Amino acid sequence: MCGIVGYIGDKDALPSLLDGLKRLEYRGYDSAGVALMDSSTLTVTKRIGKVSELEKEFAGREAKQTLGIGHTRWATHGEPSDINAHPHMDEANAIALIHNGIIENYAAIRTKMEQAGHIFRSATDTEALVHLIEEMKNIFGDLETAVRLALRQVDGTYGIAVISSYEPDKIIVARKGSPLILGIGDGEFFVASDAAAIIHHTRNVVYLSDGEIAVLTRHSSEIKTIDNVDIEKRVEEITFDLEQIEKGGYEHFMIKEIMEQPETLRNAMRGRVLLESGDVKLSGLREVLPVLENARRIIITACGTSFHAALVGEYMLEQFGHLPVEVEYASEFRYRDPIVNPGDVVFLISQSGETADTLAALREARQKGAAVLGICNVVGSTIARESQGGVYIHAGPEIGVASTKAFTSQLVVLSLITILIARQRGLSEEAGREMGRALLALPEQVEAILKNTDHIKAVAERFKDSTNALYLGRGYNFPVALEGALKLKEISYIHAEGYPAAEMKHGPIALIDENMPVIIIAPKDNTYEKIVSNVQEVKARKGRVIAIVNDDDRTLEGMAEYVIRVPRTLPCFAPILNIIPLQLLAYYIAVQRGCNVDQPRNLAKSVTVE
Ligand code: G6P
């Protein structure tokens, strides 16, 4: 999620670092920092805000340091601030570390390090690692061994770069789960998490694989595994241009973000599902566990796509938590003097954490005495800061205006909150375990859907000239119908409505004719038979049925004009799978209509005005 750059050579490192960091800014960062090495003096400079803020710190600089690392941060643990920005340093200020990814067992490492006398300065997971490296260095003497042995104790994901005044002529980098590229120049090496940062210096690169570590000096590069086995890597040439790199090789951010979902789902549940005990661990809610246990009612409020996630949350929390849940548009909640009683807990869902109506709803609820809890993507955003507690969805920066990966991550977090509350209220250990297992299986199931997009492209081709579309679903899939319709109208400008399938006969049925695509979400759950009847009703009026069905469904095959198959999961998690083909369908239709997919007309990513 964050950005890494590094330079070792004969030139001044700072311009390359700042320039590289700026080229990574398109992903939307909150703070930046660099560590520079001058013979044996290590200096770290870091600032909250844009790279230009960091740059100002170097006005009038005369020194020339030929080795350095830089980082742009997108906060995951600890809000954006000067202190939480990378690089992080050890106790002796002799080792500087930058890190992308999430260290899952950072709390345990931190406790161990604190017991050993280390004093922490930041709230980040990263700082635990630099203290651990220091500890290993004190025992084993050399930096490379220290880094390798420290990494062997880490659970989670990382792309890291380390420099140290103990061994001032090298950069050590390693990766597991977060990309890292070495750029090979003439008597110089570059390091980057994203080719965009170094492509104007060199197109010759080595891609590090998971579990590999590289030691770079001015004239050599040595690559080995974390278990200390030497390896040879091929130097490859980057042939694509900058814009393609920024979009990860995809044509638009939206499709990149759709395709990222297996990974973002993993990040949303990383370290949070405790399979053994059938529980979940959500540290952001630790302080409010008694409040949740005694809650009499839950209100969830949000806007746009986040509101649709809230509706799924309502169904889940009522089914498993057995407590009343109300969902309301934040814009309505804030103005209608809602009844908020003691014992009410209000959840605010917001990708950006800045939506004006959602923020106002938070303040309204808090002023009325409710406990307010946030479900946000952007760490340190206003809603996150003003909430009493909450859960981050860890989806990484979402740039496409139409929300995709944030939605599925919001659903994962709502599922985790459901398990937590349900376990407090008598859900059995075994049932908790079953839900945990089903959640952990979702990333691979999403991968399977994303592997087969040709079929969805063909449906898009068939319906790209439609002027209207109807989306129908029941139960957990009614909100999916709303979200599918929202995606289509947002980016393709086709008028689309989402409806509970049974409500069709109270109005939308009048619109159905041979030109009307009707997208029916029909997984095998307790309303399956009913929805099959709805398909018949649409067909009887010559509507064009596109059915989203489970892999093993045979009934709808002959009835629907098109079937799109998705794997089976528990009914409560089906929205996480069923929305994926609908995101793709909207995307391909919009592309085929020549629309500006990432920035649809009149829409904004973050609506900070009323
Ligand atoms: C805007 C965006 C939507 C988003 C909504 C709520 O309308 O275009 O994609 O769902 O705001 O945003 P939030 O950041 O609060 O989730």
Side-chain angles (χ1 to χ4, degrees), residues 20-36:
L21 294 179
K22 280 186 190 157
R23 286 170 196 266
L24 295 177
E25 269 194 326
Y26 71 91
R27 295 166 65 175
Y29 293 97
D30 53 52
S31 50
V34 293
L36 292 161

Side-chain angles (χ1 to χ4, degrees), residues 303-306 349-353 355 358 401 403 490 604-605 607:
C303 303
T305 289
S306 301
I349 308 182
S350 175
Q351 185 284 128
S352 61
T355 301
T358 314
V401 165
S403 185
E490 277 180 316
K605 183 71 192 153
V607 182

Side-chain angles (χ1 to χ4, degrees), residues 399-402 490-491 493 595-603:
I399 294 173
V401 165
E490 277 180 316
I491 60 170
Y493 317 136
C595 299
N596 183 346
V597 176
D598 284 333
Q599 283 166 328
R601 68 184 181 209
N602 307 336
L603 294 177

Side-chain angles (χ1 to χ4, degrees), residues 473-512:
R474 284 174 179 258
Y476 280 110
N477 294 296
F478 159 49
V480 178
L482 294 176
E483 176 61 10
L486 177 65
K487 288 292 85 99
L488 187 69
K489 74 181 109 176
E490 277 180 316
I491 60 170
S492 75
Y493 317 136
I494 294 174
H495 173 246
E497 293 288 341
Y499 253 81
E503 274 292 305
M504 173 183 73
K505 54 187 166 296
H506 300 289
I509 201 164
L511 302 171
I512 297 175

Side-chain angles (χ1 to χ4, degrees), residues 60-75:
R61 164 182 176 266
E62 282 176 5
K64 176 183 157 191
Q65 293 112 328
T66 53
L67 186 161
I69 53 177
H71 188 266
T72 46
R73 176 168 187 254
W74 201 81

